[in-house]
Amino acid sequence: MILTNEVNLQEIQYETLVVGLSTHLEQVEGWDAFTATFGPQITELIRSKDLSTNEKEITTFHVTTDSSVKRILFAGIGNRKKLTEDTLRQLFGRVGKTLQKKGYSDVSVLLPSFVNEEISEQDVAFLAGEGLGMGTYQILDYKTTAHDTDYDLAAVELLSQADEQEIVSYFEVGLIYSEAVNEARTLVNMPGNILTATELGEYARELGEEFGFETHILGKEEIEELGMGALLAVNQGSTEEPRLIVLKHQVTDKWEDPIALVGKGITFDTGGYSLKPKDGIVGMKGDMGGAAAVLGAMRIIGETKPNKNVIAVIASTDNMVSGNAFKPDDVITSMSGKTIEILNTDAEGRLVLADAVTYAKQQGATAIVDVATLTGGVIVALGMDKTGALTNDEALFEEFMEASMETGEFVWRLPLTESDKKRIRKSDVADLNNSPGRDGHMIFGGGFVGEFAENTPWIHLDIAGTSGTPSEHDLGPKGGTGVMVRTLASFVERLAEQE
């Protein structure tokens, strides 16, 4: 960490100080002033490796000199020339976890005046907000036994030689991003009997009221009037009504050229009559991860107000088994008028997305990004840590990939060929079939949605692997990850900059 004499080390506000520690202390400006304040033994402890400079390692030093600071958390950044934004974000996440574990709610953070040519001090402030906010997220649970979920990073003092207002602004935006991710995580983690389509609609309504979005939460009768036969087919086995959730962020006098963010909102997925096995059905409360990502992105958009019209469309229901449920061999009619032969009732996400994409087009969307926990096939193809993508527009996808690289959310594009499209369109009784087979499953699932996007520039994101994690990590606990919240918001911001 590069220090400067302009930071008054004698007037640090809080007892806990976070300092990044790089290798090659002789290159660190202001190190003599730092050791003069907190004790020259720090240098010897580093050289003896009692205080680690290793990447993402955190060690605590208890201050014995006369100072308001009682402890320093040294966060190892290794060789600063090799440091990446993603590593720095994860490091701050790990710092947040350490603060949470020890119960330190007020903290001073000494920011560097320079990390390397790729990362500015403003970037560091933003990453600090993201990492600290995401790292301290706690899962909402329903236990009756006493447990501590009240930790809050109450106050953060940023120490920097840069413009204070600018640094604070970047940090606050980072916090906004982290809070939106955490909201999405909470939605994904909520049980299906608590987060129904109705409740998801109420959450969206409150979000719309908070940020002044034009908001429409359409119930079953309105969905029927629109002719959304695909969404209604998935819902017909349920005692819970469906919802079509619509939020509009409008920045121009005339509603024109909006980007549509379309989310799959299946609040619980049994698979219907194509019933999931007992192991595969557990965790299906998270099948609305796409909806959560869209709502999280809209929270960021509401806070940062990018100069771009945005419409969010979420089709929400559960997929249940009953005497009324839709069946394999059924033929249904989507909102677009296209008929669909049902070969697999567990391929329901693409059905609700079909009607949502059609609705978005009718609302004037000139580009569409749909996001969904769509297929197990994406996990087979790419594993649990990569989001799969399809597109029909190279330029749009290139811009999206720039956003994903900024946020560190890995996206990998798969091909969608004419041969794939022919298999989706192969049916003796309808225009399309909803499940051509297991081979290339992710491609067929997303490609089905593309049949409804048609010629509108479109990106499909399959987050079945990345929307949840089975274990704790630097940026959060196990469970919902809030994946794609930050990338969607960053993507919209990039489009806004081009307006």
Side-chain angles (χ1 to χ4, degrees), residues 168-236:
V168 169
S169 176
Y170 273 81
F171 179 79
E172 288 178 343
V173 173
L175 282 179
I176 288 169
Y177 271 62
S178 71
E179 288 164 0
V181 169
N182 292 344
E183 287 275 346
R185 287 169 164 173
T186 295
L187 291 173
V188 171
N189 291 333
M190 290 178 71
N193 65 320
I194 295 175
L195 186 67
T196 62
T198 299
E199 290 303 314
L200 188 64
E202 287 306 305
Y203 174 88
R205 190 190 305 279
E206 292 173 6
L207 186 69
E209 290 174 356
E210 182 176 355
F211 296 111
F213 297 140
E214 181 183 330
T215 305
H216 303 279
I217 312 297
L218 308 185
K220 186 173 183 178
E221 289 186 7
E222 295 164 296
I223 292 169
E224 289 172 337
E225 290 173 3
L226 289 171
M228 290 187 159
L231 172 56
L232 289 166
V234 178
N235 173 255
Q236 69 188 48

Side-chain angles (χ1 to χ4, degrees), residues 26-100:
E26 65 274 8
Q27 299 176 5
V28 179
E29 177 189 349
W31 186 254
D32 289 343
F34 186 82
T35 55
T37 303
F38 298 114
Q41 70 270 34
I42 291 176
T43 300
E44 189 55 41
L45 288 171
I46 293 168
R47 287 174 177 159
S48 64
K49 301 188 183 303
D50 290 306
L51 292 177
S52 177
T53 63
N54 292 341
E55 196 173 273
K56 295 200 294 184
E57 285 193 20
I58 298 171
T59 48
T60 302
F61 174 80
H62 294 280
V63 176
T64 56
T65 58
D66 184 17
S67 169
S68 58
V69 176
K70 302 303 180 188
R71 67 195 67 87
I72 303 173
L73 267 60
F74 285 109
I77 63 176
N79 187 334
R80 60 183 175 84
K81 293 180 180 180
K82 297 180 180 180
L83 189 67
T84 66
E85 290 190 3
D86 203 36
T87 300
L88 195 52
R89 183 188 294 111
Q90 292 173 26
L91 173 60
F92 277 113
R94 190 170 289 192
V95 167
K97 284 179 174 293
T98 302
L99 295 170
Q100 182 183 61

Side-chain angles (χ1 to χ4, degrees), residues 7 79 83 108 187 231 233 236 258 280-281 300 347 356 362 365 426 453 471:
V7 175
N79 187 334
L83 189 67
S108 299
L187 291 173
L231 172 56
Q236 69 188 48
I281 204 169
I300 295 172
Q362 291 187 2
K426 185 178 180 180
S471 58

Side-chain angles (χ1 to χ4, degrees), residues 316-333:
S316 185
T317 179
D318 49 8
N319 182 25
M320 305 298 286
V321 182
S322 77
N324 296 323
F326 77 136
K327 311 171 296 297
D329 289 338
D330 284 359
V331 175
I332 63 175
T333 303

Side-chain angles (χ1 to χ4, degrees), residues 191-468:
N193 65 320
I194 295 175
L195 186 67
T196 62
T198 299
E199 290 303 314
L200 188 64
E202 287 306 305
Y203 174 88
R205 190 190 305 279
E206 292 173 6
L207 186 69
E209 290 174 356
E210 182 176 355
F211 296 111
F213 297 140
E214 181 183 330
T215 305
H216 303 279
I217 312 297
L218 308 185
K220 186 173 183 178
E221 289 186 7
E222 295 164 296
I223 292 169
E224 289 172 337
E225 290 173 3
L226 289 171
M228 290 187 159
L231 172 56
L232 289 166
V234 178
N235 173 255
Q236 69 188 48
S238 178
T239 58
E240 294 285 345
E241 286 200 356
R243 290 291 183 267
L244 185 75
I245 298 165
V246 184
L247 301 173
K248 289 183 177 180
H249 167 72
Q250 184 169 347
V251 296
T252 56
D253 293 336
K254 182 181 178 182
W255 179 250
E256 56 187 4
D257 191 31
I259 176 81
L261 307 181
V262 177
K264 171 187 171 183
I266 301 297
T267 56
F268 191 84
D269 182 19
T270 66
Y273 276 104
S274 303
L275 189 67
K276 292 180 182 294
K278 62 182 178 63
D279 293 331
I281 204 169
V282 175
M284 284 299 106
K285 65 182 181 179
D287 208 17
M288 36 59 66
V294 168
L295 291 171
M298 290 303 291
R299 174 170 289 281
I300 295 172
I301 288 165
E303 292 275 11
T304 60
K305 297 179 172 51
N307 185 38
K308 177 67 179 176
N309 289 333
V310 183
I311 180 170
V313 183
I314 294 166
S316 185
T317 179
D318 49 8
N319 182 25
M320 305 298 286
V321 182
S322 77
N324 296 323
F326 77 136
K327 311 171 296 297
D329 289 338
D330 284 359
V331 175
I332 63 175
T333 303
S334 67
M335 183 184 183
S336 71
K338 293 179 180 179
T339 56
I340 305 164
E341 180 184 13
I342 303 302
L343 300 181
N344 181 359
T345 61
D346 195 22
E348 86 298 329
R350 66 201 69 176
L351 299 177
V352 304
L353 286 173
D355 280 349
V357 164
T358 300
Y359 183 89
K361 287 175 62 180
Q362 291 187 2
Q363 294 297 306
T366 54
I368 298 169
V369 181
D370 80 80
V371 56
T373 49
L374 205 69
T375 67
V378 75
I379 300 173
V380 174
L382 300 178
M384 298 289 290
D385 60 341
K386 305 171 193 72
T387 292
L390 300 174
T391 190
N392 64 3
D393 191 280
E394 299 291 338
L396 187 71
F397 188 72
E398 184 176 340
E399 197 68 42
F400 180 84
M401 286 301 295
E402 290 291 332
S404 76
M405 287 186 281
E406 284 181 5
T407 61
E409 295 188 313
F410 194 104
V411 177
W412 189 260
R413 178 183 175 183
L414 280 79
L416 177 60
T417 67
E418 289 303 316
S419 176
D420 297 325
K421 294 175 184 178
K422 286 179 181 179
R423 286 186 63 181
I424 295 166
R425 296 166 186 164
K426 185 178 180 180
S427 172
D428 294 333
V429 294
D431 298 319
L432 306 169
N433 79 82
N434 80 324
S435 186
R438 295 300 300 173
D439 56 312
H441 190 206
M442 180 266 168
I443 295 171
F444 292 133
F448 181 92
V449 181
E451 292 293 306
F452 297 85
E454 297 178 316
N455 294 325
T456 303
W458 158 79
I459 298 170
H460 166 70
L461 302 171
D462 193 334
I463 60 170
T466 52
S467 66

